Amino acid sequence: MILLCGIQHFQAKQNAQKATVEELTDIKDFKKILRTKNNVLVCYIISQKQASHIVRIFKDAAEVVKGQGTMLLVDCSGDAKKMCKKLKVSPEPFMLKHYKDGDFHKDYDRLETVQSMVNFMRDPAGDIPWEEDSMAVDVVHISDALSLAKFLRKEVRPILVLFYAPWCGFCKQLKPEYAAAATELKGHSILAAIDVNRPENAIIRQQYNITGFPMLLYFENGHQKFMYEGENNKDGLIGFMKNPSKPPEKPKQEDWSAVKSDVVHLTSENFDTVMKEPSVLVMFYAPWCGHCKKMKPEYEKAAATLKAEKIAGIAAAIDATKEPEIAARYNIRGYPTVKYFKAGEFAFDVNVRDAAKITEFMRDPREPPPPPPPETPWSEELSEVVHLTEDTFKTFLKKKKHVLVMFYAPWCGHCKTMKPSYSLAALEMKQEHIEGVLAAVDATGNPKLSNRFNIVGFPTLKYFNNGKFVSDYDRKRTAEDIKTFMKSPPSVSSDKDEL
């Protein structure tokens, strides 16, 4: 009887997994799924045996994202051979492609782990998660409430935890400073971080009363001591962790609506009534927000000018932390956010914060011009850098003796910073007749190359000699250092891999 129950349990588990990851062989079925599902990740494999590692990860991830996305497995060595040929996919040994709203969206460009795939499927168009950034390896990234509780209970060193949301602008500004501080404090104390924007982490926001981002809490021996309220930079963080102390009590925050001014303060009770006015500018703010505090006197001054000069329109303000339903209605994600309403309808966002510009806008409310067009791809810019793809990489490198290849991602800030120096080095190498070529590969658009050379951070630079990988480039990223490296590159070892 026990054996029978065990067999039934195993079969039930197998059936559940099969239902989670559908194995496709027919292109008609595939197209049908794309028509009905808007978030699909497909794992194309050369065979179950050769791609067993990624198949296991893929199926485990599918269990987690069940209901949030669709994950399909296509074995190009079996009955799906014709399907793979029609789709022009050649996995070696696997290939991951994402489809959105019925069309191909992008190649999977994250780490080959369960958590990375889960993060990707939850937000396929979003930025790469912070825990996958190679510059933040010394930050302890915590996934959920249970992991946080275990971590705080076991760790004996002092801990600073950053509670953040990926969309938060101030969090994005803090991240590189926080990562740099974590590296310098290594061995002394720990800087940890947790994304509390994830649905499963809502309980953490309640537990620690997190009402704004970023929030940093200091712990000793598993117990919260106090909130970090110092400067949001590397030096401030390091100074605090080396000499932690409770900050002085803050004066009670002033209720702006109780201050006499010409600003109309909104609540859920009067919001819809005021919005019926022909022209209304609304400032969504949070009492603790430093940028809001700077803007308040300017906004009050503008409101007084509107009244004094009889300029049509109202300058209104609403505490978004007290009126979360209204804030959610207009997707308020940062403070201050300024929105313009016309005759009861939201018209557009406005980026004005000083009195003169606010007044000027209200004299003649016009929608701001659209944002500048997206950046021109680096490969389309005029330079001496040779841009390679999966189709051209092997052939090109075998024809050249010295090639330095920069693997980059278009969204990567460090890559953008290095690009001018790299392009300048390529130009000066040509002018000075320095032997060698500087090449570049968009790793996000060429995932097979990225996987082959284990690219996990950007930019990563690798030196090749006659088609053989020799070494990573680990010097400074200036044009002079790059040229110096290419003038005297490292020698080739017989055990290096050939392309």
Side-chain angles (χ1 to χ4, degrees), residues 294-306:
K294 289 180 182 178
M295 184 175 169
K296 281 179 184 178
E298 296 291 316
Y299 204 64
E300 290 175 346
K301 185 177 176 182
T305 302
L306 295 181

Side-chain angles (χ1 to χ4, degrees), residues 78-92:
D79 294 335
K81 199 169 185 179
K82 289 183 179 179
M83 175 179 168
C84 294
K85 191 173 181 181
K86 284 184 179 180
L87 293 173
K88 297 180 179 178
V89 293
S90 303
E92 293 180 3

Side-chain angles (χ1 to χ4, degrees), residues 107-121:
D107 288 308
Y108 177 80
D109 56 358
R110 306 287 177 82
L111 299 178
E112 294 161 18
T113 65
V114 172
Q115 190 58 55
S116 293
M117 285 190 190
V118 170
N119 291 341
F120 176 83
M121 288 299 285

Side-chain angles (χ1 to χ4, degrees), residues 59 106 122 161 170 190 216 355 410 448:
K59 289 184 176 181
K106 65 188 292 189
R122 286 174 173 169
V161 180
F170 297 112
I190 293 180
L216 296 98
K448 282 196 285 188

Side-chain angles (χ1 to χ4, degrees), residues 41 53-54 57-58 61 94 96 107-120 128-134 137 141 411 450-451 454-458:
L41 184 64
H53 172 68
I54 197 69
I57 292 171
F58 192 76
F94 68 90
L96 291 158
D107 288 308
Y108 177 80
D109 56 358
R110 306 287 177 82
L111 299 178
E112 294 161 18
T113 65
V114 172
Q115 190 58 55
S116 293
M117 285 190 190
V118 170
N119 291 341
F120 176 83
I128 187 168
W130 193 22
E131 59 265 29
E132 295 182 29
D133 185 346
S134 61
V137 292
H141 297 279
W411 44 259
S450 183
N451 290 333
N454 194 30
I455 307 300
V456 295
F458 306 111

Side-chain angles (χ1 to χ4, degrees), residues 15 50 123 153 231 268 277-278 349 380 427:
N15 291 335
Q50 293 184 61
D123 187 13
R153 186 170 63 250
E231 293 294 323
S268 55
E277 295 291 330
D349 289 314
E380 295 179 18
L427 175 62

